[in-house]
Amino acid sequence: MRRSVAVVLLALALPAPASAAETISFGVAPAVPAYGSTATFSGAVSPATPGQNVDLIADTGGGWGIIASTNAAADGTFSFTGAVTAPGSYAAQTAHATSPAVALTLRPLVTKRLVGLHYPGSRLFLKGRLVPASAGTLTLRVGLRTWPVKQLADGHYRVRLPTDRIGLRTARLILSPAAGYAEVTVKKAFRILAPALATGSSGVAVLALERRLAQLRHELRGVNRYYAFDTYEAVLAFQKVHGMTRTGRVSEAVWARLAAARIPHARVDQGDHVEISKTRQVMYEVRSGKVVRIVHVSTGATGNTPVGKWRVYGKVPGLNSHGMYYSLFWLRGFAIHGYASVPPWPASHGCVRTPMWFAPGFYARWSVGATIYVFA
């Protein structure tokens, strides 16, 4: 006769050792059941007494108590089947005997799933739940790196995976068990992708690219899943900052550099100002000594853009007769302005050209008197 196993903590002293006249064998299958799964406690009373009452007793932390009862079969066998949710010591008893106790260890449940983008430098997480939450503590291992996993009171967890290497990797979630629970290791494979991208590309890979560029302070018109001209120009700026070939296209080498990149430091690490590098052909907007925006520019074709510290002395909105768009003048006729053509190399008459879409916002953010640094 089978009964469900439900833990009911009753004050009950473990009976005296079995008499020589009666013995009870006892065991559980499987030996280490999963938390909440079905297990069978079974055994036999010898000599057999058909219909004899047999109790399943347990100590799961609050003293011994009866958790189920059944009657032995004609041959003395008995069994109890049900879901197990508490580790501890279990035994069977009759009015005259008690079996040896079995220490029941449970295997906790650990769920897992990937959430996020599978691209270099993107935010990719392993999420899931430990059941029960009290079963132990979790550690994540990826390659040679290991770090603890924060768990909520209900056992839920979310841990960020490294995306700094391209290719297939394996995350190992390791449970250091509490008393009564078994050690568990679960694995989750994940692949970091590095597709070739260029103007006209679209989709989730472009979204990951644009998010990463924005994190690194490269200016975009928007993060919108489409590789438009602003994305091309942001990639150009990134390649310039990192000394890469200036193609405006994304290769595996660009993805790899994106994964490891950090926001660059300002040359002047204090105050609000603008920094222009003639060598790199980029411009930084700096606030409180920190780079907050990066854009690709084109300076004088003959190298005549003046190096030094300057201040904006005048502003002219809109488009003038020379094709200069939203201009900020800082020395004679030298200005920072939008222009229809901003190639990856020096091409202007001496001004600092920026993309047309960038110019109005830059014009609005910087006033007369703003400091401009031009470095060789």
Side-chain angles (χ1 to χ4, degrees):
M1 180 176 182
R2 296 186 172 184
R3 303 286 179 88
S4 295
V5 179
V7 175
V8 179
L9 297 178
L10 301 177
L12 181 71
L14 193 64
S19 67
E22 186 173 280
T23 60
I24 306 175
S25 63
F26 182 72
V28 60
V32 183
Y35 177 87
S37 68
T38 298
T40 300
F41 298 89
S42 61
V45 180
S46 179
T49 304
Q52 183 176 22
N53 182 75
V54 182
D55 297 323
L56 178 64
I57 61 174
D59 180 3
T60 58
W64 287 91
I66 298 173
I67 59 173
S69 297
T70 191
N71 295 319
D75 60 358
T77 59
F78 61 88
S79 67
F80 304 87
T81 300
V84 286
T85 58
S89 295
Y90 289 75
Q93 72 172 12
T94 65
H96 305 291
T98 302
S99 73
V102 171
L104 182 66
T105 299
L106 298 183
R107 187 176 73 254
L109 306 179
V110 183
T111 62
K112 60 191 184 302
R113 63 189 177 97
L114 295 172
V115 177
L117 299 178
H118 297 239
Y119 299 91
S122 295
R123 294 171 65 84
L124 180 64
F125 296 91
L126 187 65
K127 295 181 65 175
R129 187 179 185 186
L130 170 64
V131 180
S134 59
T137 57
L138 294 171
T139 300
L140 181 68
R141 179 180 298 160
V142 180
L144 299 177
R145 296 173 56 191
T146 301
W147 55 99
V149 176
K150 184 178 180 180
Q151 298 158 230
L152 300 180
D154 63 359
H156 280 96
Y157 68 88
R158 186 180 80 157
V159 60
R160 188 170 178 177
L161 295 172
T163 56
D164 55 346
R165 282 177 47 193
I166 296 166
L168 183 65
R169 308 192 71 181
T170 300
R172 290 174 172 82
L173 202 59
I174 303 165
L175 175 73
S176 297
Y181 292 96
E183 181 176 324
V184 174
T185 297
V186 296
K187 299 179 182 179
K188 186 67 176 178
F190 63 100
R191 187 180 295 276
I192 303 302
L193 308 172
L197 299 173
T199 304
S201 299
S202 62
V204 69
V206 177
L207 174 65
L209 169 67
E210 292 179 329
R211 283 182 177 176
R212 183 59 176 154
L213 288 168
Q215 288 171 358
L216 295 170
R217 304 295 187 262
H218 290 278
E219 190 73 348
L220 294 154
R221 299 183 74 173
V223 176
N224 53 22
R225 297 172 179 251
Y226 185 69
Y227 203 120
F229 212 69
D230 63 318
T231 311
Y232 162 83
E233 289 171 321
V235 171
L236 266 183
F238 178 83
Q239 291 170 328
K240 290 177 174 184
V241 168
H242 295 278
M244 305 183 76
T245 304
R246 303 171 184 183
T247 65
R249 300 186 298 274
V250 177
S251 62
E252 185 171 314
V254 173
W255 279 117
R257 189 63 63 89
L258 280 165
R262 299 290 183 267
I263 298 169
H265 295 291
R267 296 275 288 270
V268 180
D269 60 356
Q270 57 185 348
D272 298 346
H273 58 272
V274 175
E275 296 184 3
I276 298 154
S277 169
K278 293 172 61 175
T279 299
R280 293 182 176 179
Q281 292 290 287
V282 292
M283 182 170 73
Y284 296 166
E285 292 186 51
V286 180
R287 298 290 185 183
S288 300
K290 304 292 184 182
V291 174
V292 296
R293 289 182 183 84
I294 303 170
V295 68
H296 114 92
V297 299
S298 179
T299 61
T302 63
N304 62 329
T305 305
V307 172
K309 178 181 178 181
W310 315 100
R311 292 194 182 275
V312 174
Y313 72 83
K315 298 174 63 175
V316 178
L319 187 68
N320 68 15
S321 60
H322 300 287
M324 299 164 63
Y325 191 55
Y326 282 90
S327 307
L328 286 80
F329 290 88
W330 43 273
L331 175 67
R332 300 190 300 273
F334 293 98
I336 301 171
H337 62 82
Y339 202 71
S341 174
V342 188
W345 53 83
S348 78
H349 293 99
C351 290
V352 178
R353 296 180 184 177
T354 72
M356 294 287 273
W357 58 266
F358 175 83
F362 181 78
Y363 182 93
R365 288 189 294 273
W366 297 94
S367 304
V368 170
T371 300
I372 309 295
Y373 289 97
V374 180
F375 297 105

